[in-house]
Amino acid sequence: VQPPEKPLQAEEWNKLREDFQLPEIFEEVMLNSMIRCNSPIDVAKSLLTHVAKRNGDIAYNVLVKYLTLCVQQGQVSEIRDVYDIMKVRFKILESGAYNLLVKGLSNSDQWRMALTLLEEVKKIMIPSRTCYESCIKAASRHQEMKLAFELYNEMLAKDVVPTLHVLQSFFDFSRGMKSAELQKELFGILLYLRENQIYPHKTFMRSIKLWFESIPGGNWRGHLTNIKDSGQCPVCKHQLEDSNLTEEEYSNLSERIIRDVIHGTDTFRKTSPKEFEAFQAFVENRLPFDIVIDGLNVSHIKSRRMQCENLFDAVNCLAKENARLLVLGRKHMLMNSSNWKREIMKEIQNKADFFFAENISEDDAFLLYATLRSGKHCRFVTRDFLRDHKACLSDSLTRHLFRKWQRGHQIVLKKKCFSSVFSQQPALHYDCVVQTTGDTWHIPYKDVYEEKYSYQVPRKWLCIQQKL
C-alpha cells in the first residue's frame, strides 16, 4: 500500500479501504507503510480521526503503530496526547508501548516524564533494557550523571544486561568532568567488563581512552599496543596478571565444578548416572591426560570434509611431543558410514584414548571432569563456550576463576585455508581481561563489535598510565 501524500477526507479513506483486499486490517497495513515511508504526521492523523469517527474509538494496536511514527519523528506533543488517550482507555499497557513512550519522551525536552513513566512500569514489570537505556541516555545528555548511574546500577541489580552502546555513552558524556564519585562509577564499568569478560570494540575503546585523557589534572595517557607472549606491556613495562590459577584456586575450582556442575542436576538430564560412573572409572584408570578433545565438536570444523578426517587432522595436530590425548566420542562414530570410515577411526584410536558415549549424552560434563581430574597442566579442545556451566556456579568469585581457567586452558583450533592442517591458538600465559594496578589500566579490545561472547581472545590492548 502506498500511503497518500496529504491528509484525506472520510470518503477518500473509505474508498481506499473498500479497494483493499482485507479491509479489516487496512488501517494496520496502511500505518505500517507510513512508518516505512516516514509519512507526514498529519496524514496519519487524518486516518486516525477517520477511524475514531467511524468506530467510536481506536484499537490498541492501531494507536501503537501511530505512536511508533510519532516517536520516529520526535513529535513530542503527539506522543503525550497518545499517552493521555491510552492511560484513560487501558489500565496497563504492554512493554512495547512503554518502550515507545519512554524512548519518545526521553529524546525530548520533556525527558523527566520518561522517568515518571519508568516508575510506573516498575510497578507492573521489570522494565526492559530499552526503557532503562533511554532514560540513562537522557540523564547523561543533561549532565545528570548521578541519576544516570543510579539507573544503571538498578538495571544491573535486576539482571537487565546493558548494551555496550550505553556503557560507551557513560564515557562519552563524562568527558572533562572532575568528580571522584563519577570516576569511581566509571572504573566500576571497567570492572564490569572484567568480571564478564567483555572485550570493547574499537570505538568504545577510544571513548575510554579519551575520557581518561580528559580528566582534569589526572595526567593519564593512553597508548595502543600488542602484549608480548611473555605478558609484558611494551609501553609501561608492566607484567600482566598470570593466567595460571594458584594451587589453592585450582583445587577450589575443580571441587566446585565437580560438585555443582557435574554432580548437580544439570548433567544427568541427558546422561544416565550409570554411564557417567562408567566414564569416571575409565578416566581414573588412565589419568593423567594432557589434552581432552570434544570429538564431535571438532569433527565439524570444516564442512566440506568427512567428519572423521577433521578429527584425524585435529588429533595429528595435537599429538605432537607424545601428548596423551583423550577424545570424547559418540557410539555412532564406530558404525561404518559416509562420515565415519572404520579404517580412519582405527588409525586415530592408535594415537589417542577414546571414550564413546551414548548418542544423546551431554559432552561438556565429561570434558570438564576429565580435564580437571588430570591436573593443572591439562588443556581441552572445543569450540563451545561452556556458558551454561558458568551459570551453575553460584558465586562471582568461582565464576571468575572458571572463566580465567577456561581462558588459560581452552585450545582453539583454526582451520587454515586450502590445507588439511590445523593450527592451534595456544593458551596465553597472561590473563586476557581488563586489569588495573591503580596507576595503570590494561584493556584488551576487538576491532569490531561482537554481541556474542567469544572465546577467541584479542591480541590488541589499550595501555593507560597515570604519570604522577
Side-chain angles (χ1 to χ4, degrees):
V1 191
Q2 207 42 47
E5 286 174 17
K6 52 183 204 320
L8 302 184
Q9 296 301 317
E11 51 275 13
E12 295 171 296
W13 281 123
N14 280 334
K15 172 98 179 69
L16 283 176
R17 189 171 189 264
E18 281 157 18
D19 294 344
F20 189 67
Q21 285 149 328
L22 298 161
E24 61 280 9
I25 57 164
F26 168 73
E27 284 80 17
E28 281 187 61
V29 174
M30 178 57 82
L31 280 161
N32 276 342
S33 104
M34 286 182 184
I35 293 165
R36 218 174 29 253
C37 303
N38 204 19
S39 298
I41 208 79
D42 55 352
V43 177
K45 214 170 174 178
S46 83
L47 174 61
L48 250 62
T49 311
H50 165 65
V51 173
K53 282 185 182 152
R54 190 187 69 219
N55 300 347
D57 69 1
I58 302 166
Y60 183 83
N61 45 355
V62 172
L63 271 175
V64 170
K65 290 197 188 307
Y66 176 65
L67 180 60
T68 307
L69 187 65
C70 297
V71 171
Q72 190 170 295
Q73 299 183 6
Q75 304 273 357
V76 184
S77 62
E78 287 299 313
I79 295 170
R80 290 195 61 168
D81 289 350
V82 174
Y83 176 48
D84 291 340
I85 294 169
M86 287 181 135
K87 233 178 10 189
V88 173
R89 287 210 22 226
F90 310 102
K91 258 290 170 275
I92 51 174
L93 315 178
E94 41 70 65
S95 64
Y98 281 125
N99 284 350
L100 282 167
L101 289 163
V102 169
K103 192 175 162 190
L105 293 167
S106 66
N107 280 329
S108 73
D109 53 359
Q110 315 209 349
W111 64 279
R112 289 194 182 276
M113 270 191 75
L115 297 173
T116 313
L117 203 51
L118 183 68
E119 289 308 313
E120 221 171 281
V121 176
K122 279 187 221 167
K123 289 177 192 153
I124 38 181
M125 59 177 114
I126 290 181
S128 69
R129 173 154 88 177
T130 312
C131 273
Y132 269 120
E133 297 201 343
S134 299
C135 292
I136 287 172
K137 282 183 194 152
S140 306
R141 260 199 308 274
H142 294 86
Q143 302 284 292
E144 298 218 9
M145 299 314 292
K146 190 168 179 289
L147 171 61
F149 272 108
E150 275 167 18
L151 292 167
Y152 163 71
N153 289 319
E154 184 182 298
M155 176 180 183
L156 291 186
K158 292 186 174 164
D159 284 331
V160 182
V161 178
T163 57
L164 291 194
H165 188 64
V166 84
L167 297 181
Q168 183 184 337
S169 74
F170 278 116
F171 289 91
D172 290 337
F173 287 116
S174 306
R175 222 173 279 168
M177 289 187 181
K178 192 177 170 111
S179 150
E181 193 48 44
L182 180 65
Q183 202 164 312
K184 206 172 117 210
E185 291 282 13
L186 287 157
F187 286 166
I189 291 182
L190 295 176
L191 295 175
Y192 172 82
L193 298 181
R194 172 189 168 91
E195 181 74 27
N196 293 284
Q197 195 178 333
I198 296 166
Y199 302 123
H201 46 82
K202 217 187 232 157
T203 48
F204 184 4
M205 176 276 296
R206 285 207 188 101
S207 295
I208 296 171
K209 179 178 183 290
L210 289 169
W211 170 71
F212 266 104
E213 294 175 342
S214 79
I215 300 171
N219 263 350
W220 291 93
R221 280 289 156 269
H223 297 275
L224 307 188
T225 185
N226 291 47
I227 304 290
K228 297 175 181 154
D229 285 344
S230 65
Q232 192 188 49
C233 170
V235 181
C236 65
K237 304 293 179 266
H238 178 73
Q239 189 68 31
L240 293 188
E241 290 172 36
D242 194 334
S243 65
N244 282 324
L245 304 186
T246 64
E247 293 298 335
E248 190 186 353
E249 286 175 332
Y250 182 77
S251 68
N252 285 344
L253 179 70
S254 51
E255 264 171 43
R256 281 295 300 275
I257 290 185
I258 287 170
R259 191 185 75 209
D260 294 7
V261 178
I262 296 171
H263 295 308
T265 49
D266 78 325
T267 321
F268 297 123
R269 279 190 310 227
K270 294 178 184 160
T271 303
S272 74
K274 201 161 135 225
E275 181 178 48
F276 198 71
E277 276 162 29
F279 174 68
Q280 284 174 294
F282 171 89
V283 169
E284 297 301 323
N285 284 332
R286 290 169 180 74
L287 283 173
F289 296 103
D290 298 313
I291 301 175
V292 181
I293 302 165
D294 180 345
L296 196 61
N297 184 287
V298 166
S299 72
H300 289 289
I301 285 190
K302 291 186 181 175
S303 51
R304 292 208 177 86
R305 304 182 71 225
M306 273 193 284
Q307 289 175 10
C308 61
E309 287 180 328
N310 279 334
L311 185 56
F312 181 73
D313 290 341
V315 167
N316 270 343
C317 164
L318 296 162
K320 300 184 181 85
E321 294 137 35
N322 299 323
R324 293 202 55 220
L325 309 183
L326 167 62
V327 178
L328 301 174
R330 297 290 174 87
K331 289 196 170 147
H332 70 255
M333 294 176 177
L334 294 169
M335 319 274 281
N336 202 14
S337 66
S338 59
N339 257 318
W340 298 101
K341 292 276 174 268
R342 191 163 285 148
E343 58 277 15
I344 296 182
M345 285 303 287
K346 277 219 167 76
E347 220 176 310
I348 312 178
Q349 282 169 277
N350 292 332
K351 298 184 181 229
D353 278 303
F354 265 81
F355 182 86
F356 294 99
E358 289 297 337
N359 293 333
I360 53 163
S361 295
E362 185 57 87
D363 285 350
D364 289 355
F366 289 72
L367 185 82
L368 287 170
Y369 182 82
T371 309
L372 288 163
R373 284 294 294 131
S374 291
K376 246 172 93 167
H377 73 289
C378 183
R379 292 172 305 162
F380 64 93
V381 184
T382 178
R383 298 181 311 161
D384 283 345
F385 302 139
L386 312 180
R387 288 195 89 157
D388 303 348
H389 302 298
K390 180 177 162 243
C392 300
L393 297 166
S394 48
D395 63 293
S396 65
L397 178 67
T398 312
R399 281 201 296 269
H400 173 73
L401 288 179
F402 178 65
R403 278 279 173 244
K404 185 171 178 174
W405 173 77
Q406 183 183 0
R407 286 191 293 272
H409 290 77
Q410 184 162 4
I411 297 173
V412 179
L413 286 180
K414 290 182 159 175
K415 45 192 176 202
K416 288 188 173 166
C417 308
F418 310 119
S419 84
S420 63
V421 187
F422 291 106
S423 70
Q424 45 170 312
Q425 179 176 329
L428 299 170
H429 296 303
Y430 57 87
D431 199 7
C432 198
V433 278
V434 172
Q435 39 192 280
T436 180
T437 60
D439 56 359
T440 67
W441 281 86
H442 287 90
I443 299 167
Y445 68 93
K446 296 235 161 166
D447 280 331
V448 287
Y449 170 62
E450 286 172 3
E451 174 74 76
K452 248 185 31 235
Y453 171 81
S454 168
Y455 53 71
Q456 289 193 320
V457 295
R459 305 307 288 261
K460 298 182 172 181
W461 289 72
L462 167 65
C463 160
I464 301 170
Q465 40 178 166
Q466 190 171 29
K467 292 276 195 278
L468 295 165

